[in-house]
Amino acid sequence: GIWKWRLFDYLQHENHDLVDELVRKTVQYLALREDKRRFRVIPSKALFTENEVVVLDGELYNASYEKINTPDVQVVIRNEEGREFPYSMNKSRDGYHVRAGLFPPGNYTFTAAAKLNMENLTAEGRFTISPLDQELADIQADHDLLKLLAAESGGEMFTGPDGLTQAGARIMENPRIKPVLHNAVRTRPLIDWRWLFAGLLALLGLEWFLRRYSGAY
């Protein structure tokens, strides 16, 4: 009999907005996702590098699971030592948003709180800050810096296709560069030569057997 509702709605208001809104909200409620939390705050990613800004996004739903952003939301980030960094989340069209800034490497947890119709809602989460490898940040060779380091250390810098040949020629011409031979002597106890010990024992046993066999003693 829902068609009768639509007719009566049109009779009263000359439109079907109320019935359509009722159907839409009913479908929205029945098609709700598995995560039925009414308040959630999640980081934009689980792992940040120390030069990335930590971003947190939040969503708040009323009792009918309609997304709202009327109440204020406070979030507190804590490092491994227990130091706290409080923030107020900004309201956006899709919910809440905050750019917390840069953090040193380590593991962090956060707790967000909101109050809706005398009901206190909380959300928790965590993220990690990894150290930044400076060598991987800039993989382009700095030839000026290499040339400066070579000059300050008494060396030379060679570039181009013939660089390896030129470097080899410089090494051969440098009288300070000479081949160096290293000798290493290692001694081992005779008892470690187990096969030699077994051979000697076998020879002694053979000698004893031949003497007994020949009647020498």
Side-chain angles (χ1 to χ4, degrees):
I2 297 180
W3 60 274
K4 296 180 180 179
W5 298 359
R6 291 177 59 85
L7 293 177
F8 186 77
D9 187 18
Y10 189 83
L11 178 63
Q12 294 291 324
H13 309 99
E14 296 186 355
N15 58 56
H16 306 291
D17 295 344
L18 294 179
V19 177
D20 293 343
E21 181 70 10
L22 175 62
V23 173
R24 184 185 64 81
K25 290 185 176 182
T26 302
V27 172
Q28 179 182 359
Y29 182 82
L30 295 176
L32 187 65
R33 293 174 295 178
E34 289 296 330
D35 188 356
K36 296 185 178 181
R37 293 177 300 168
R38 292 170 49 200
F39 180 47
R40 61 180 72 98
V41 176
I42 57 175
S44 58
K45 54 197 304 187
L47 179 63
F48 298 88
T49 56
E50 58 182 327
N51 66 334
E52 290 182 307
V53 176
V54 174
V55 177
L56 302 178
D57 295 304
E59 295 179 350
L60 179 61
Y61 297 85
N62 59 19
S64 300
Y65 287 97
E66 296 176 314
K67 185 182 292 187
I68 60 174
N69 62 355
T70 305
D72 295 329
V73 172
Q74 309 296 327
V75 60
V76 178
I77 300 176
R78 299 178 182 84
N79 61 12
E80 294 175 300
E81 289 75 26
R83 183 181 176 185
E84 297 185 350
F85 306 89
Y87 297 90
S88 295
M89 299 193 72
N90 300 317
K91 299 177 182 179
S92 62
R93 182 175 60 86
D94 295 330
Y96 298 89
H97 179 85
V98 64
R99 293 173 60 87
L102 303 177
F103 288 85
N107 297 315
Y108 294 81
T109 60
F110 63 86
T111 302
K115 189 173 184 180
L116 178 61
N117 297 331
M118 304 303 295
E119 182 182 4
N120 294 321
L121 302 175
T122 59
E124 298 178 349
R126 64 181 61 247
F127 60 88
T128 301
I129 306 295
S130 63
L132 177 65
D133 192 339
Q134 294 293 340
E135 294 184 358
L136 296 179
D138 186 6
I139 59 175
Q140 184 69 30
D142 191 343
H143 294 89
D144 293 335
L145 178 60
L146 294 175
K147 186 176 181 179
L148 178 61
L149 292 175
E152 292 183 351
S153 60
E156 296 182 65
M157 178 178 173
F158 302 95
T159 59
D162 299 330
L164 186 60
T165 303
Q166 296 175 4
R170 289 289 192 278
I171 293 175
M172 298 299 296
E173 295 171 359
N174 194 332
R176 297 180 301 172
I177 302 178
K178 297 180 180 180
V180 179
L181 298 178
H182 298 276
N183 293 326
V185 179
R186 186 178 63 175
T187 59
R188 295 181 58 185
L190 187 61
I191 195 173
D192 291 343
W193 297 77
R194 298 183 182 275
W195 62 271
L196 181 60
F197 178 76
L200 293 175
L201 185 61
L203 291 175
L204 291 174
L206 180 61
E207 181 186 7
W208 175 82
F209 175 76
L210 291 177
R211 286 180 179 271
R212 291 295 302 270
Y213 184 78
S214 61
Y217 59 84

